[in-house]
Amino acid sequence: MDKTIFEAWGFPVERMFLAAGPCSAESEKQVLECAEALVGRGVGFMRAGIWKPRTRPGSFEGVGLKGLAWMDRARAETGLKIGTEVAEPSHVEACLEYGVDILWVGARTSTNPFSVQAIADALRGVDIPVLVKNPMSADIGLWVGAIERLANAGLTKLGAIHRGFSSTSEMRYRNAPNWKMPIELKRHLPDIPLLCDPSHISGRADLVPVVSQEAMDLLFDGLMVEVHPDPPSALSDAAQQLTPEQFFPMVGNLVLPHERSDSAAFSSRMGGLREGVDDLDGQLIELLGKRMDIVREMGRLKAEQNVSTLQPDRWREIVEDRVAKGSELELSEGFVLQLMQSIHEEAIRQQEADRLPN
Ligand code: PEP
Ligand code: MN
């Protein structure tokens, strides 16, 4: 984990980088109380939302400018650095006036390239650290694009926050973690530090430790966690906030894995296993190539007879059969279904490519 990049940006870091604080700044007393509970314990900056993007009008929409004054005062009294979410140029201007130490772009905003560009333009020439939360939907291009817009405006201290993705089928989490997205982001942008926001992923305080540990196991550089002195009284996201008394032990209990091990026995055993995986992957790809050869031949036959590319009955049979075979081998239904859908999609694409005049 590369927590040191945050140190280079001037933020305190202990075992991992930590951003902590309430979902929203609610009162001067709450902000000060929170800062006092967080200071001197390895927190990089205190977070608090000043302008809250809410799904329905009429919910608590943040205290606005006066909240920045409270955070500024909390910083002056404790020395804790402060950060908040910006969603439009007027927010950026206010934060720059107060000298807020770090900004983040929220999930609703990173979904909209117009808004991100407006924020980037407002930040041109100011090299403040900015963290970009993933957009609401699992679209890696949008996430990378938002970071690129800020980079193109000359910002060099950029990071990303994984806060999960809204989903209609997810029951356990408020926003499904879909870990392959941050893993993919890291592949595209290996030098950008990556934080996890387990609070917005979980939606429930009791899930926050599990999601945090998962993030550590996946080599995230740190966490942004909602911490409130009295969660049940919170004006937003009451169910997912931890008290400081819950937060610090939770962080202390996290196990931090290393990316590599010096053990020779480990390296040699892993080397052997990886060779096995490489070999099987090679066979898988070859088999898929052979499968597609047959699929194309079938496509030509269908075209000759004016038979449709999609064969719903056959597809239903395939799914049932492969899912059943998979379950005998302890492969989950979801995995086998997703795999077969990918293969089927490519088969249809190839048959259509042969069929359509180019
Ligand atoms: C927040 O951090 O309080 C917030 C609104 O998060 P998100 O943009 O991830 O929903
Ligand atoms: Mn929140």
Side-chain angles (χ1 to χ4, degrees), residues 10-78:
F11 294 91
V13 181
E14 283 179 9
R15 288 177 73 222
M16 73 209 75
F17 181 75
L18 292 173
C23 177
S24 305
E26 297 166 358
S27 68
E28 184 162 40
K29 179 171 168 288
Q30 173 240 21
V31 171
L32 292 175
E33 206 176 313
C34 203
E36 274 152 22
L38 298 176
V39 71
R41 304 178 77 177
V43 170
F45 72 89
M46 177 171 71
R47 61 147 288 151
I50 297 293
W51 303 279
K52 299 304 295 180
R54 304 312 297 278
T55 305
R56 305 273 308 271
S59 331
F60 171 68
E61 292 190 314
V63 294
L65 272 183
K66 62 178 183 274
L68 278 184
W70 303 336
M71 290 182 81
D72 189 27
R73 180 164 168 216
R75 173 175 55 185
E77 289 188 5
T78 61

Side-chain angles (χ1 to χ4, degrees), residues 93-112:
E93 282 156 29
C95 287
L96 294 179
E97 253 172 59
Y98 275 96
V100 171
D101 301 289
I102 184 166
L103 307 176
W104 79 85
V105 175
R108 288 156 196 79
T109 309
S110 68
T111 301
N112 181 350

